[in-house]
């Protein structure tokens, strides 16, 4: 019995018993997987999967027990490799991150650049996704960690580490009536215009829809996108008032757009890094967490991820506070 054989049967199960898809997922050949499966079942003395003709049909009861233990063994094998790499202070590796377009475009670039300074041989793979797809990529093992935001409870599926909190902004073209009100915006003001916002706004349980419902109003969603830059583009095209994360508004936007404060209208959001439980944390993952959220204690993070401590995270700062600290650090270095 080998780790490769165990990896193959787990891949088959995760691919819905489709050997062709499993082979693609583990970068093997279909004949190679079939051969290893046959050898493993011969050693075990029973079938892991039942057959219907030449296709796999179902997981046998005994196979279910084998798969459960195979996942545990593969998990611990990954932990041993991570532990060894940390002890060797190994700077090489591959890091795959699933996150939203907003985080990938406006939050992570500086952190990833600084991370690469410490780990120049680290391969970093950013996978911008819609919010509904991010956690599923993590649960299937296709990415190492995810960064996702919520306006309520922490995301499930792993250890959720709060990074920072942020507000949304309404954006309108220069000269728009809302930019000339001379008073704070009310939810009734937004209800008078079509809105351009994130795809999540289409969901009935979205915080934007809940805020409108609480005021006995219904938002008019004219256009949605997962990409904040596209939201700004369609606002400039005249489709409506944009609602997007404050991180997505840059100084360059002020040439054509006006960002309006709506802190009191929509709930604050929290960005989270979701990590696997009972894992040996690679050093570069811990450092990435610190680069995005300096309040995180790296040693505490390692203990929680390894299952040696319960989470007791410090309160996440506001994004605006992190930006002010960054400006102060830059100013002090220049001085």
């Amino acid at each position: 019995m080998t780790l490769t054989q165990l990896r193959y049967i787990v891949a088959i199960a995760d691919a819905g018993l489709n050997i062709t898809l499993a082979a693609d997922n583990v970068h093997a050949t279909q004949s190679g997987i079939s051969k290893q499966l046959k050898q493993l079942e011969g050693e075990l003395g029973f079938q892991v999967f039942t057959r219907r003709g030449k296709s796999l049909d179902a997981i046998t009861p005994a196979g279910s027990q084998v798969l459960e233990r195979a996942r545990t063994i593969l998990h611990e094998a990954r932990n041993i490799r991570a532990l060894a790499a940390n002890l060797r202070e190994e700077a090489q590796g591959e890091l795959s991150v699933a996150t939203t377009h907003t985080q990938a475009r406006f939050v992570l670039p500086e952190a990833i650049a600084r991370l690469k300074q410490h780990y120049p041989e680290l391969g970093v793979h950013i996978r911008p996704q819609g919010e509904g797809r991010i956690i599923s990529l993590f649960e299937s093992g296709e990415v190492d960690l995810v960064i996702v935001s919520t306006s309520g409870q922490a995301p499930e599926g792993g250890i959720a580490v709060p990074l920072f909190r942020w507000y949304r902004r309404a954006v309108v073209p220069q000269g728009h009536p809302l930019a000339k009100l001379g008073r704070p915006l009310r939810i009734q003001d937004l209800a008078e215009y079509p809105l351009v916002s994130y795809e999540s706004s289409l969901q009935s349980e979205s915080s934007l829809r809940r805020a409108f419902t609480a005021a006995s109003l219904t938002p008019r969603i004219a256009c949605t996108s997962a990409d904040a830059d596209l939201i700004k583009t369609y606002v400039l095209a005249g489709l409506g008032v944009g609602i997007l994360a404050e991180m997505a508004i840059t100084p360059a936007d002020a040439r054509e757009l006006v960002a309006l404060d709506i802190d009191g209208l929509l709930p604050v959001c929290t960005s989270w890094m979701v990590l696997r439980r009972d894992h040996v944390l690679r050093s570069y993952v811990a450092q990435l967490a610190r680069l995005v959220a300096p309040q995180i204690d790296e040693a505490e993070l390692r203990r929680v991820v390894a299952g040696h401590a319960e989470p007791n995270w410090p309160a996440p700062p506001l994004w605006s506070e992190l930006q002010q600290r960054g400006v102060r650090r830059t100013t002090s270095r220049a001085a």
Side-chain angles (χ1 to χ4, degrees), residues 75-116:
H75 172 79
E76 288 305 319
R78 287 191 293 268
N79 277 343
I80 291 170
R81 294 190 189 100
L83 176 63
N86 286 343
L87 292 173
R88 293 194 306 267
E89 298 184 352
E90 189 175 283
Q92 295 178 334
E94 300 290 327
L95 176 61
S96 182
V97 181
T99 188
T100 63
H101 289 75
T102 295
Q103 303 283 346
R105 167 73 174 81
F106 299 101
V107 175
L108 287 180
E110 181 180 352
I112 296 297
R114 292 171 63 188
L115 183 69
K116 288 284 287 181

Side-chain angles (χ1 to χ4, degrees), residues 61-288:
S64 295
Q65 297 183 52
V66 171
L67 282 164
E68 179 181 355
R69 286 160 176 79
R71 293 183 189 278
T72 300
I73 292 168
L74 293 171
H75 172 79
E76 288 305 319
R78 287 191 293 268
N79 277 343
I80 291 170
R81 294 190 189 100
L83 176 63
N86 286 343
L87 292 173
R88 293 194 306 267
E89 298 184 352
E90 189 175 283
Q92 295 178 334
E94 300 290 327
L95 176 61
S96 182
V97 181
T99 188
T100 63
H101 289 75
T102 295
Q103 303 283 346
R105 167 73 174 81
F106 299 101
V107 175
L108 287 180
E110 181 180 352
I112 296 297
R114 292 171 63 188
L115 183 69
K116 288 284 287 181
Q117 291 174 0
H118 289 90
Y119 299 94
E121 297 183 57
L122 174 66
V124 181
H125 311 286
I126 307 297
R127 298 183 61 176
Q129 302 286 329
E131 292 183 357
R133 174 84 172 124
I134 292 173
I135 292 296
S136 64
L137 285 174
F138 179 73
E139 291 176 339
S140 67
E142 295 179 57
V143 296
D144 300 306
L145 62 90
V146 302
I147 296 177
V148 67
S149 298
T150 69
S151 60
Q153 297 297 315
E156 299 179 349
I159 295 174
V161 184
L163 302 175
F164 57 87
R165 294 171 296 136
W166 52 272
Y167 287 100
R168 279 161 281 192
R169 295 285 180 264
V171 292
V172 295
Q174 294 279 359
H176 191 278
L178 290 183
K180 302 175 182 178
L181 281 179
R183 59 168 172 78
L185 286 185
R186 297 190 291 259
I187 197 81
Q188 290 81 3
D189 298 322
L190 295 179
E192 294 179 7
Y193 295 90
L195 302 180
V196 184
S197 190
Y198 294 111
E199 292 174 345
S200 59
S201 302
L202 296 174
Q203 300 172 7
S204 59
E205 69 275 13
S206 75
S207 57
L208 185 145
R209 287 187 177 274
R210 292 200 306 269
F212 274 76
T213 299
S216 300
L217 298 169
T218 301
R220 289 188 287 151
I221 308 296
C223 182
T224 65
S225 175
D227 189 328
D229 283 327
L230 285 179
I231 291 174
K232 290 183 281 188
T233 297
Y234 284 98
V235 168
L236 288 171
L239 269 71
V241 175
I243 305 293
L244 72 169
E246 63 177 301
M247 304 89 73
I249 300 171
T250 68
D253 291 327
R255 292 195 295 266
E256 299 178 294
L257 294 170
V258 178
L260 303 173
D261 190 323
I262 53 173
D263 290 359
L265 305 185
L266 300 176
V268 66
C269 297
T270 301
S271 288
W272 308 81
M273 178 179 287
V274 184
L275 302 167
R276 302 194 189 287
R277 299 182 185 278
D278 303 319
H279 246 57
V280 174
L281 196 66
R282 288 300 300 268
S283 297
Y284 48 74
V285 175
Q287 185 160 352
L288 177 60

Side-chain angles (χ1 to χ4, degrees), residues 3-13 22 26 28 32-33 36-37:
L3 287 176
T4 297
Q5 290 172 337
L6 298 182
R7 187 163 66 97
Y8 285 175
I9 63 170
V10 168
I12 292 170
V26 297
I33 284 190
Q36 292 295 324
L37 173 60

